[in-house]
Amino acid sequence: MLKKFACFLSVSLFCLSQAAAADYDNAWNLTPESIKPFARDLGGLLGSGVNQTARPLGFAGFDIGVRGAAQFKPSSGNTILKKNGMFGLGVVQAEIGMPYRIDGFVRGGVFEGISVAGGGLRYGLWKVSDEKYKINAMLTTMANMAAHRYFYAIHFNTGLLFSLNVPVAAPYMGVSYDFTKLEAQTISDTALIGKKISVASARITAGVRLKIKLGYISGGITYTNDRALVNGCAGFRF
C-alpha cells in the first residue's frame, strides 16, 4: 500500500513540476470564445488541493505546507493554454485550529506569473473521532484572488470532505463547487479589456494522505470541467 502511494505521489509531484511550462502569458490572446473555458480551468486549479483530511486541527493546532494542482490538458474551448499540455498552480498554506471544530487558513504564492492570495474557514460536522476506521466530515468555504499581467480573477469555493481514520495512509474524498469571476486586463482584443465574466463548475476529489510523525504528504485525483487534475501536498501538522 505504502509503496503504491509513494509511487503515485512521485508521479503527482512530477506532473506538478512539468506544469511549470504552462505559459499563462498566452492569455494575451484571450477571445470571446476562450475566456469562459479559461476561467473555468483556472477556478478548478484554485479550488483543488486545499484539504487532505476532514479532521479539524483542534484549538491552537497548526498546519503549514505547500500545495499544488495540475490539470492534464485544457478543457474544451480553452485555446489559450497549450493543447494537450499540462498546467498548474502552487501555493503555501498556513492553518490554525480554533474552538468549536473550526479551522482558519490563509494561502498565497507566485507561480508562472500568477500571484495568488486567499483564505477561508473549515468546520467539522460532528465530534472529532481519532478511533481507527471512523469517518470525519468537514465543510469548507474559501476565497482566492489571482492576478496576472493580462487578467485578474476572484474565486469562491465551498465543499464537503470526508476522511477515514486509517493508520499511516488515510483516504479522503470530497465534492465541491467553484465560482470564478475573471476580468481581462491589457490583452490583444481591446473589446474584452475590462470585461468581467462569471463561471461555475463542480469538482470531485479522492486521494490518500500519508502521515510521518508530525509531517505528512498526500496525493489525489480531481475531476472537473470534463478533465482530470492531480493534487500534491506536503507539510507539518501539530
Side-chain angles (χ1 to χ4, degrees):
M1 174 68 177
L2 293 181
K3 289 183 177 179
K4 290 181 179 179
F5 176 69
C7 180
F8 173 76
L9 183 64
S10 298
V11 172
S12 298
L13 294 176
F14 173 77
C15 291
L16 291 175
S17 68
Q18 294 303 302
D23 193 7
Y24 291 105
D25 284 346
N26 286 335
W28 165 260
N29 299 310
L30 278 167
T31 64
E33 295 76 25
S34 64
I35 191 169
K36 283 191 174 183
F38 176 76
R40 276 192 291 267
D41 285 348
L42 181 63
L45 289 175
L46 289 169
S48 295
V50 175
N51 202 14
Q52 20 65 39
T53 177
R55 189 200 186 285
L57 283 164
F59 182 63
F62 191 73
D63 185 319
I64 186 166
V66 292
R67 285 147 167 64
Q71 189 166 315
F72 287 107
K73 63 180 180 179
S75 61
S76 178
N78 182 358
T79 57
I80 299 305
L81 300 178
K82 295 178 181 179
K83 184 179 180 180
N84 298 322
M86 292 195 70
F87 57 97
L89 286 176
V91 297
V92 176
Q93 183 166 307
E95 310 174 5
I96 189 167
M98 297 182 285
Y100 305 109
R101 302 191 302 276
I102 297 174
D103 293 345
F105 61 93
V106 293
R107 60 205 316 256
V110 179
F111 192 89
E112 278 289 282
I114 300 180
S115 299
V116 177
L121 294 172
R122 295 198 290 257
Y123 173 68
L125 290 182
W126 51 73
K127 186 177 179 180
V128 176
S129 173
D130 290 321
E131 184 180 345
K132 288 183 180 180
Y133 309 115
K134 291 294 183 177
I135 296 175
N136 288 313
M138 177 175 278
L139 284 173
T140 301
T141 182
M142 173 181 67
N144 293 290
M145 295 180 293
H148 186 274
R149 62 187 298 187
Y150 298 138
F151 60 84
Y152 176 79
I154 297 177
H155 165 266
F156 298 96
N157 165 269
T158 183
L160 174 64
L161 184 78
F162 298 92
S163 63
L164 182 64
N165 294 340
V166 176
V168 185
Y172 62 89
M173 183 174 182
V175 293
S176 54
Y177 218 78
D178 296 304
F179 306 87
T180 308
K181 180 179 288 186
L182 186 141
E183 179 180 346
Q185 303 292 314
T186 305
I187 61 173
S188 60
D189 188 341
T190 57
L192 284 179
I193 295 176
K195 182 176 181 179
K196 299 178 182 178
I197 62 97
S198 298
V199 293
S201 57
R203 222 169 358 94
I204 301 174
T205 298
V208 179
R209 184 181 71 131
L210 175 63
K211 185 177 180 181
I212 309 170
K213 295 184 179 180
L214 294 179
Y216 62 86
I217 55 176
S218 69
I221 290 287
T222 296
Y223 184 78
T224 184
N225 302 321
D226 297 323
R227 293 291 186 268
L229 294 82
V230 289
N231 310 304
C233 178
F236 295 94
R237 183 181 176 97
F238 47 89

Short mmCIF file of all heavy atoms in Angstrom, two decimals, residues 64-129:
data_model
loop_
_atom_site.label_atom_id
_atom_site.label_comp_id
_atom_site.label_asym_id
_atom_site.label_seq_id
_atom_site.Cartn_x
_atom_site.Cartn_y
_atom_site.Cartn_z
N ILE A 64 1.21 23.87 8.38
CA ILE A 64 1.80 24.68 7.32
C ILE A 64 2.38 23.74 6.27
O ILE A 64 3.01 22.72 6.61
CB ILE A 64 2.88 25.65 7.85
CG1 ILE A 64 3.36 26.55 6.71
CG2 ILE A 64 4.04 24.90 8.50
CD1 ILE A 64 4.15 27.74 7.18
N GLY A 65 2.13 24.04 5.00
CA GLY A 65 2.61 23.16 3.94
C GLY A 65 2.50 23.80 2.57
O GLY A 65 2.00 24.92 2.41
N VAL A 66 2.99 23.09 1.59
CA VAL A 66 2.90 23.52 0.19
C VAL A 66 1.86 22.66 -0.50
O VAL A 66 1.74 21.45 -0.23
CB VAL A 66 4.26 23.41 -0.52
CG1 VAL A 66 5.24 24.42 0.04
CG2 VAL A 66 4.84 22.00 -0.40
N ARG A 67 1.07 23.30 -1.37
CA ARG A 67 0.02 22.59 -2.08
C ARG A 67 0.08 22.96 -3.55
O ARG A 67 0.36 24.11 -3.90
CB ARG A 67 -1.36 22.98 -1.52
CG ARG A 67 -1.67 22.33 -0.17
CD ARG A 67 -2.52 23.25 0.68
NE ARG A 67 -3.10 22.62 1.83
CZ ARG A 67 -2.44 22.10 2.85
NH1 ARG A 67 -1.11 22.10 2.85
NH2 ARG A 67 -3.06 21.56 3.88
N GLY A 68 -0.19 21.98 -4.39
CA GLY A 68 -0.17 22.24 -5.81
C GLY A 68 -1.19 21.38 -6.54
O GLY A 68 -1.60 20.33 -6.07
N ALA A 69 -1.63 21.87 -7.69
CA ALA A 69 -2.57 21.14 -8.54
C ALA A 69 -2.18 21.34 -9.99
O ALA A 69 -1.71 22.41 -10.38
CB ALA A 69 -4.00 21.62 -8.30
N ALA A 70 -2.34 20.31 -10.78
CA ALA A 70 -2.02 20.39 -12.21
C ALA A 70 -3.08 19.67 -13.02
O ALA A 70 -3.51 18.57 -12.66
CB ALA A 70 -0.65 19.78 -12.50
N GLN A 71 -3.53 20.28 -14.09
CA GLN A 71 -4.52 19.70 -14.99
C GLN A 71 -3.81 19.11 -16.19
O GLN A 71 -2.89 19.72 -16.75
CB GLN A 71 -5.53 20.77 -15.43
CG GLN A 71 -6.72 20.23 -16.20
CD GLN A 71 -7.84 21.25 -16.31
OE1 GLN A 71 -8.18 21.92 -15.33
NE2 GLN A 71 -8.41 21.40 -17.48
N PHE A 72 -4.23 17.92 -16.60
CA PHE A 72 -3.52 17.21 -17.66
C PHE A 72 -3.56 17.93 -19.00
O PHE A 72 -2.58 17.94 -19.75
CB PHE A 72 -4.07 15.79 -17.81
CG PHE A 72 -3.67 14.88 -16.68
CD1 PHE A 72 -4.59 14.49 -15.73
CD2 PHE A 72 -2.37 14.43 -16.57
CE1 PHE A 72 -4.21 13.66 -14.68
CE2 PHE A 72 -1.98 13.60 -15.53
CZ PHE A 72 -2.91 13.21 -14.59
N LYS A 73 -4.69 18.55 -19.32
CA LYS A 73 -4.79 19.33 -20.55
C LYS A 73 -5.97 20.28 -20.44
O LYS A 73 -6.89 20.05 -19.63
CB LYS A 73 -4.94 18.43 -21.78
CG LYS A 73 -6.19 17.58 -21.80
CD LYS A 73 -6.23 16.72 -23.07
CE LYS A 73 -7.47 15.86 -23.14
NZ LYS A 73 -7.52 15.06 -24.39
N PRO A 74 -5.97 21.37 -21.21
CA PRO A 74 -7.07 22.34 -21.13
C PRO A 74 -8.42 21.71 -21.46
O PRO A 74 -8.50 20.76 -22.24
CB PRO A 74 -6.68 23.40 -22.16
CG PRO A 74 -5.21 23.24 -22.35
CD PRO A 74 -4.94 21.78 -22.17
N SER A 75 -9.48 22.27 -20.90
CA SER A 75 -10.82 21.79 -21.21
C SER A 75 -11.23 22.27 -22.60
O SER A 75 -10.58 23.13 -23.21
CB SER A 75 -11.82 22.28 -20.16
OG SER A 75 -11.85 23.70 -20.14
N SER A 76 -12.31 21.72 -23.09
CA SER A 76 -12.79 22.06 -24.44
C SER A 76 -13.08 23.56 -24.54
O SER A 76 -13.76 24.13 -23.70
CB SER A 76 -14.07 21.27 -24.73
OG SER A 76 -14.59 21.61 -25.99
N GLY A 77 -12.51 24.20 -25.55
CA GLY A 77 -12.72 25.62 -25.76
C GLY A 77 -11.63 26.50 -25.21
O GLY A 77 -11.51 27.67 -25.58
N ASN A 78 -10.79 25.96 -24.32
CA ASN A 78 -9.67 26.73 -23.76
C ASN A 78 -8.49 26.63 -24.73
O ASN A 78 -7.62 25.76 -24.62
CB ASN A 78 -9.28 26.20 -22.39
CG ASN A 78 -8.15 26.99 -21.76
OD1 ASN A 78 -7.62 27.92 -22.36
ND2 ASN A 78 -7.79 26.62 -20.54
N THR A 79 -8.47 27.52 -25.69
CA THR A 79 -7.40 27.53 -26.69
C THR A 79 -6.22 28.39 -26.27
O THR A 79 -5.27 28.55 -27.03
CB THR A 79 -7.95 28.05 -28.03
OG1 THR A 79 -8.51 29.36 -27.83
CG2 THR A 79 -9.04 27.13 -28.56
N ILE A 80 -6.28 28.96 -25.07
CA ILE A 80 -5.22 29.84 -24.58
C ILE A 80 -4.00 29.04 -24.14
O ILE A 80 -2.86 29.38 -24.45
CB ILE A 80 -5.72 30.72 -23.43
CG1 ILE A 80 -6.87 31.60 -23.93
CG2 ILE A 80 -4.61 31.57 -22.86
CD1 ILE A 80 -6.53 32.44 -25.14
N LEU A 81 -4.21 27.97 -23.42
CA LEU A 81 -3.11 27.15 -22.93
C LEU A 81 -2.77 26.05 -23.94
O LEU A 81 -3.57 25.72 -24.81
CB LEU A 81 -3.47 26.55 -21.58
CG LEU A 81 -3.77 27.60 -20.50
CD1 LEU A 81 -4.16 26.94 -19.19
CD2 LEU A 81 -2.57 28.51 -20.29
N LYS A 82 -1.59 25.51 -23.80
CA LYS A 82 -1.07 24.56 -24.78
C LYS A 82 -1.99 23.34 -24.93
O LYS A 82 -2.36 22.71 -23.95
CB LYS A 82 0.32 24.10 -24.38
CG LYS A 82 1.36 25.20 -24.39
CD LYS A 82 2.71 24.67 -23.93
CE LYS A 82 3.75 25.78 -23.93
NZ LYS A 82 5.07 25.28 -23.46
N LYS A 83 -2.32 23.01 -26.16
CA LYS A 83 -3.16 21.85 -26.43
C LYS A 83 -2.44 20.59 -25.96
O LYS A 83 -1.26 20.38 -26.26
CB LYS A 83 -3.47 21.76 -27.92
CG LYS A 83 -4.42 20.63 -28.27
CD LYS A 83 -4.71 20.61 -29.76
CE LYS A 83 -5.68 19.48 -30.11
NZ LYS A 83 -5.97 19.44 -31.56
N ASN A 84 -3.16 19.75 -25.20
CA ASN A 84 -2.61 18.50 -24.66
C ASN A 84 -1.41 18.74 -23.74
O ASN A 84 -0.62 17.83 -23.50
CB ASN A 84 -2.20 17.55 -25.79
CG ASN A 84 -3.37 17.14 -26.66
OD1 ASN A 84 -4.48 16.94 -26.15
ND2 ASN A 84 -3.14 17.04 -27.95
N GLY A 85 -1.26 19.96 -23.23
CA GLY A 85 -0.17 20.27 -22.31
C GLY A 85 -0.67 20.48 -20.89
O GLY A 85 -1.76 20.97 -20.67
N MET A 86 0.15 20.10 -19.91
CA MET A 86 -0.22 20.28 -18.51
C MET A 86 -0.02 21.72 -18.07
O MET A 86 0.82 22.44 -18.62
CB MET A 86 0.62 19.36 -17.62
CG MET A 86 0.33 17.89 -17.79
SD MET A 86 1.03 16.92 -16.44
CE MET A 86 -0.05 17.43 -15.10
N PHE A 87 -0.80 22.14 -17.09
CA PHE A 87 -0.65 23.46 -16.50
C PHE A 87 -1.12 23.38 -15.05
O PHE A 87 -1.95 22.53 -14.70
CB PHE A 87 -1.45 24.52 -17.27
CG PHE A 87 -2.91 24.23 -17.38
CD1 PHE A 87 -3.82 24.80 -16.50
CD2 PHE A 87 -3.39 23.37 -18.36
CE1 PHE A 87 -5.19 24.53 -16.61
CE2 PHE A 87 -4.75 23.09 -18.47
CZ PHE A 87 -5.65 23.67 -17.59
N GLY A 88 -0.58 24.23 -14.19
CA GLY A 88 -0.93 24.12 -12.78
C GLY A 88 -0.66 25.38 -11.99
O GLY A 88 -0.30 26.43 -12.52
N LEU A 89 -0.84 25.25 -10.67
CA LEU A 89 -0.61 26.33 -9.70
C LEU A 89 -0.05 25.72 -8.42
O LEU A 89 -0.34 24.57 -8.08
CB LEU A 89 -1.90 27.08 -9.38
CG LEU A 89 -2.46 28.04 -10.43
CD1 LEU A 89 -3.80 28.58 -9.95
CD2 LEU A 89 -1.50 29.18 -10.71
N GLY A 90 0.71 26.53 -7.68
CA GLY A 90 1.23 26.09 -6.39
C GLY A 90 1.16 27.22 -5.38
O GLY A 90 1.34 28.39 -5.74
N VAL A 91 0.88 26.89 -4.11
CA VAL A 91 0.79 27.90 -3.04
C VAL A 91 1.37 27.34 -1.75
O VAL A 91 1.54 26.12 -1.59
CB VAL A 91 -0.66 28.35 -2.78
CG1 VAL A 91 -1.26 29.03 -3.99
CG2 VAL A 91 -1.53 27.17 -2.32
N VAL A 92 1.65 28.23 -0.82
CA VAL A 92 1.96 27.87 0.57
C VAL A 92 0.71 28.16 1.39
O VAL A 92 0.08 29.21 1.22
CB VAL A 92 3.15 28.69 1.11
CG1 VAL A 92 3.38 28.37 2.58
CG2 VAL A 92 4.41 28.38 0.30
N GLN A 93 0.34 27.22 2.27
CA GLN A 93 -0.89 27.38 3.04
C GLN A 93 -0.59 27.18 4.53
O GLN A 93 0.06 26.21 4.92
CB GLN A 93 -1.94 26.38 2.58
CG GLN A 93 -3.28 26.51 3.28
CD GLN A 93 -4.38 25.74 2.56
OE1 GLN A 93 -4.60 25.91 1.37
NE2 GLN A 93 -5.07 24.88 3.29
N ALA A 94 -1.08 28.11 5.36
CA ALA A 94 -0.93 28.02 6.82
C ALA A 94 -2.31 27.97 7.46
O ALA A 94 -3.21 28.73 7.07
CB ALA A 94 -0.14 29.22 7.34
N GLU A 95 -2.48 27.08 8.45
CA GLU A 95 -3.78 26.86 9.08
C GLU A 95 -3.65 26.92 10.60
O GLU A 95 -2.60 26.57 11.15
CB GLU A 95 -4.34 25.50 8.67
CG GLU A 95 -4.30 25.25 7.18
CD GLU A 95 -4.71 23.83 6.82
OE1 GLU A 95 -5.12 23.07 7.74
OE2 GLU A 95 -4.62 23.48 5.64
N ILE A 96 -4.72 27.32 11.26
CA ILE A 96 -4.74 27.34 12.72
C ILE A 96 -6.08 26.83 13.22
O ILE A 96 -7.13 27.10 12.62
CB ILE A 96 -4.46 28.77 13.27
CG1 ILE A 96 -4.27 28.72 14.78
CG2 ILE A 96 -5.55 29.75 12.87
CD1 ILE A 96 -3.69 29.97 15.38
N GLY A 97 -6.04 26.04 14.30
CA GLY A 97 -7.26 25.50 14.88
C GLY A 97 -7.90 26.46 15.86
O GLY A 97 -7.21 27.14 16.63
N MET A 98 -9.22 26.52 15.84
CA MET A 98 -9.98 27.40 16.73
C MET A 98 -11.03 26.57 17.47
O MET A 98 -11.23 25.39 17.16
CB MET A 98 -10.63 28.52 15.91
CG MET A 98 -9.61 29.43 15.23
SD MET A 98 -10.36 30.79 14.30
CE MET A 98 -10.95 29.92 12.84
N PRO A 99 -11.72 27.17 18.45
CA PRO A 99 -12.75 26.41 19.18
C PRO A 99 -13.90 25.97 18.26
O PRO A 99 -14.05 26.47 17.15
CB PRO A 99 -13.24 27.40 20.23
CG PRO A 99 -12.12 28.39 20.39
CD PRO A 99 -11.50 28.50 19.02
N TYR A 100 -14.69 25.04 18.76
CA TYR A 100 -15.91 24.56 18.09
C TYR A 100 -15.63 23.92 16.74
O TYR A 100 -16.39 24.08 15.78
CB TYR A 100 -16.91 25.71 17.94
CG TYR A 100 -17.24 26.39 19.23
CD1 TYR A 100 -16.77 27.68 19.48
CD2 TYR A 100 -17.99 25.75 20.22
CE1 TYR A 100 -17.05 28.33 20.68
CE2 TYR A 100 -18.27 26.38 21.42
CZ TYR A 100 -17.81 27.65 21.64
OH TYR A 100 -18.08 28.28 22.84
N ARG A 101 -14.53 23.20 16.64
CA ARG A 101 -14.18 22.43 15.44
C ARG A 101 -14.03 23.31 14.20
O ARG A 101 -14.31 22.89 13.07
CB ARG A 101 -15.22 21.33 15.18
CG ARG A 101 -15.39 20.36 16.33
CD ARG A 101 -16.23 19.15 15.94
NE ARG A 101 -17.55 19.50 15.47
CZ ARG A 101 -18.59 19.72 16.25
NH1 ARG A 101 -18.47 19.65 17.56
NH2 ARG A 101 -19.77 20.02 15.73
N ILE A 102 -13.58 24.53 14.38
CA ILE A 102 -13.37 25.46 13.27
C ILE A 102 -11.87 25.64 13.02
O ILE A 102 -11.09 25.81 13.97
CB ILE A 102 -14.01 26.83 13.56
CG1 ILE A 102 -15.52 26.68 13.70
CG2 ILE A 102 -13.67 27.83 12.46
CD1 ILE A 102 -16.23 27.94 14.14
N ASP A 103 -11.46 25.58 11.79
CA ASP A 103 -10.09 25.88 11.37
C ASP A 103 -10.11 27.09 10.44
O ASP A 103 -11.02 27.24 9.61
CB ASP A 103 -9.47 24.71 10.59
CG ASP A 103 -9.25 23.48 11.44
OD1 ASP A 103 -9.32 23.59 12.68
OD2 ASP A 103 -9.01 22.40 10.85
N GLY A 104 -9.11 27.95 10.57
CA GLY A 104 -8.94 29.05 9.65
C GLY A 104 -7.64 28.87 8.88
O GLY A 104 -6.68 28.29 9.41
N PHE A 105 -7.58 29.35 7.65
CA PHE A 105 -6.35 29.20 6.88
C PHE A 105 -6.15 30.37 5.93
O PHE A 105 -7.11 31.03 5.50
CB PHE A 105 -6.33 27.88 6.12
CG PHE A 105 -7.43 27.72 5.10
CD1 PHE A 105 -7.24 28.08 3.76
CD2 PHE A 105 -8.66 27.19 5.46
CE1 PHE A 105 -8.25 27.93 2.83
CE2 PHE A 105 -9.68 27.03 4.54
CZ PHE A 105 -9.47 27.40 3.21
N VAL A 106 -4.89 30.63 5.62
CA VAL A 106 -4.51 31.63 4.62
C VAL A 106 -3.56 30.94 3.65
O VAL A 106 -2.86 29.98 4.01
CB VAL A 106 -3.86 32.87 5.24
CG1 VAL A 106 -4.86 33.65 6.08
CG2 VAL A 106 -2.63 32.50 6.07
N ARG A 107 -3.49 31.45 2.42
CA ARG A 107 -2.64 30.83 1.40
C ARG A 107 -2.16 31.88 0.42
O ARG A 107 -2.79 32.92 0.24
CB ARG A 107 -3.43 29.72 0.68
CG ARG A 107 -4.68 30.20 -0.01
CD ARG A 107 -5.74 29.11 -0.21
NE ARG A 107 -5.24 27.85 -0.66
CZ ARG A 107 -5.36 27.40 -1.92
NH1 ARG A 107 -5.95 28.16 -2.84
NH2 ARG A 107 -4.90 26.23 -2.26
N GLY A 108 -1.05 31.60 -0.20
CA GLY A 108 -0.54 32.54 -1.18
C GLY A 108 0.69 31.99 -1.89
O GLY A 108 1.32 31.03 -1.43
N GLY A 109 1.00 32.58 -3.02
CA GLY A 109 2.17 32.16 -3.77
C GLY A 109 2.20 32.81 -5.14
O GLY A 109 1.23 33.44 -5.57
N VAL A 110 3.33 32.68 -5.81
CA VAL A 110 3.51 33.17 -7.17
C VAL A 110 3.97 31.99 -8.02
O VAL A 110 4.96 31.31 -7.67
CB VAL A 110 4.54 34.30 -7.24
CG1 VAL A 110 4.72 34.77 -8.68
CG2 VAL A 110 4.11 35.46 -6.35
N PHE A 111 3.26 31.72 -9.11
CA PHE A 111 3.57 30.56 -9.95
C PHE A 111 3.32 30.93 -11.40
O PHE A 111 2.21 31.34 -11.77
CB PHE A 111 2.68 29.38 -9.53
CG PHE A 111 3.10 28.06 -10.13
CD1 PHE A 111 4.02 27.25 -9.47
CD2 PHE A 111 2.57 27.62 -11.33
CE1 PHE A 111 4.39 26.03 -10.01
CE2 PHE A 111 2.94 26.41 -11.88
CZ PHE A 111 3.86 25.61 -11.22
N GLU A 112 4.38 30.84 -12.23
CA GLU A 112 4.25 31.11 -13.66
C GLU A 112 3.60 32.46 -13.96
O GLU A 112 2.74 32.56 -14.84
CB GLU A 112 3.46 29.99 -14.35
CG GLU A 112 4.27 28.77 -14.69
CD GLU A 112 5.25 29.01 -15.83
OE1 GLU A 112 4.84 29.03 -16.99
OE2 GLU A 112 6.45 29.19 -15.53
N GLY A 113 3.95 33.48 -13.18
CA GLY A 113 3.43 34.81 -13.43
C GLY A 113 2.08 35.11 -12.80
O GLY A 113 1.58 36.22 -12.92
N ILE A 114 1.48 34.13 -12.10
CA ILE A 114 0.19 34.34 -11.43
C ILE A 114 0.44 34.48 -9.93
O ILE A 114 1.02 33.58 -9.30
CB ILE A 114 -0.78 33.19 -11.68
CG1 ILE A 114 -1.08 33.05 -13.17
CG2 ILE A 114 -2.09 33.42 -10.92
CD1 ILE A 114 -2.04 31.93 -13.50
N SER A 115 0.01 35.58 -9.34
CA SER A 115 0.10 35.80 -7.89
C SER A 115 -1.24 35.42 -7.27
O SER A 115 -2.29 35.93 -7.67
CB SER A 115 0.42 37.25 -7.58
OG SER A 115 1.67 37.63 -8.14
N VAL A 116 -1.21 34.52 -6.28
CA VAL A 116 -2.42 34.03 -5.64
C VAL A 116 -2.41 34.38 -4.16
O VAL A 116 -1.39 34.22 -3.48
CB VAL A 116 -2.55 32.50 -5.80
CG1 VAL A 116 -3.80 31.99 -5.07
CG2 VAL A 116 -2.61 32.11 -7.27
N ALA A 117 -3.52 34.88 -3.65
CA ALA A 117 -3.68 35.15 -2.21
C ALA A 117 -5.12 34.81 -1.84
O ALA A 117 -6.06 35.09 -2.59
CB ALA A 117 -3.39 36.60 -1.89
N GLY A 118 -5.29 34.17 -0.68
CA GLY A 118 -6.65 33.81 -0.28
C GLY A 118 -6.69 33.22 1.11
O GLY A 118 -5.72 33.25 1.86
N GLY A 119 -7.83 32.67 1.45
CA GLY A 119 -8.01 32.05 2.75
C GLY A 119 -9.43 31.60 2.94
O GLY A 119 -10.29 31.79 2.06
N GLY A 120 -9.70 30.99 4.09
CA GLY A 120 -11.06 30.51 4.32
C GLY A 120 -11.22 29.87 5.68
O GLY A 120 -10.34 29.95 6.55
N LEU A 121 -12.36 29.21 5.87
CA LEU A 121 -12.72 28.54 7.12
C LEU A 121 -13.18 27.13 6.83
O LEU A 121 -13.73 26.84 5.76
CB LEU A 121 -13.83 29.30 7.84
CG LEU A 121 -13.51 30.70 8.36
CD1 LEU A 121 -14.80 31.36 8.86
CD2 LEU A 121 -12.48 30.64 9.48
N ARG A 122 -12.93 26.25 7.82
CA ARG A 122 -13.43 24.88 7.74
C ARG A 122 -14.15 24.55 9.04
O ARG A 122 -13.76 25.03 10.11
CB ARG A 122 -12.27 23.90 7.49
CG ARG A 122 -11.60 24.09 6.16
CD ARG A 122 -10.80 22.85 5.79
NE ARG A 122 -9.65 22.71 6.63
CZ ARG A 122 -8.41 23.01 6.27
NH1 ARG A 122 -8.17 23.50 5.07
NH2 ARG A 122 -7.41 22.82 7.09
N TYR A 123 -15.18 23.71 8.95
CA TYR A 123 -15.97 23.36 10.12
C TYR A 123 -16.24 21.86 10.15
O TYR A 123 -16.78 21.28 9.20
CB TYR A 123 -17.31 24.12 10.09
CG TYR A 123 -18.27 23.70 11.17
CD1 TYR A 123 -18.01 23.98 12.51
CD2 TYR A 123 -19.44 23.01 10.85
CE1 TYR A 123 -18.88 23.58 13.51
CE2 TYR A 123 -20.33 22.61 11.84
CZ TYR A 123 -20.04 22.89 13.17
OH TYR A 123 -20.90 22.50 14.15
N GLY A 124 -15.84 21.21 11.25
CA GLY A 124 -16.10 19.79 11.44
C GLY A 124 -17.57 19.56 11.74
O GLY A 124 -18.12 20.18 12.67
N LEU A 125 -18.20 18.66 10.98
CA LEU A 125 -19.66 18.49 11.09
C LEU A 125 -20.09 17.75 12.35
O LEU A 125 -21.23 17.92 12.80
CB LEU A 125 -20.18 17.76 9.85
CG LEU A 125 -20.15 18.56 8.55
CD1 LEU A 125 -20.74 17.73 7.42
CD2 LEU A 125 -20.93 19.86 8.70
N TRP A 126 -19.22 16.91 12.90
CA TRP A 126 -19.59 16.24 14.14
C TRP A 126 -18.34 16.07 15.01
O TRP A 126 -17.23 16.40 14.59
CB TRP A 126 -20.26 14.89 13.89
CG TRP A 126 -19.53 13.95 12.97
CD1 TRP A 126 -18.39 13.25 13.22
CD2 TRP A 126 -19.91 13.61 11.63
NE1 TRP A 126 -18.04 12.48 12.14
CE2 TRP A 126 -18.96 12.68 11.15
CE3 TRP A 126 -20.97 13.98 10.81
CZ2 TRP A 126 -19.03 12.14 9.88
CZ3 TRP A 126 -21.05 13.44 9.53
CH2 TRP A 126 -20.09 12.52 9.08
N LYS A 127 -18.56 15.58 16.21
CA LYS A 127 -17.48 15.44 17.17
C LYS A 127 -16.32 14.66 16.56
O LYS A 127 -16.51 13.61 15.95
CB LYS A 127 -17.98 14.73 18.43
CG LYS A 127 -16.95 14.68 19.56
CD LYS A 127 -17.55 14.04 20.79
CE LYS A 127 -16.51 13.97 21.92
NZ LYS A 127 -17.08 13.35 23.14
N VAL A 128 -15.12 15.19 16.74
CA VAL A 128 -13.94 14.58 16.15
C VAL A 128 -13.70 13.20 16.75
O VAL A 128 -13.79 13.00 17.96
CB VAL A 128 -12.69 15.46 16.38
CG1 VAL A 128 -11.45 14.77 15.84
CG2 VAL A 128 -12.87 16.80 15.71
N SER A 129 -13.37 12.24 15.89
CA SER A 129 -13.04 10.89 16.34
C SER A 129 -11.68 10.49 15.77
O SER A 129 -11.44 10.61 14.58
CB SER A 129 -14.11 9.89 15.89
OG SER A 129 -13.70 8.57 16.19
#
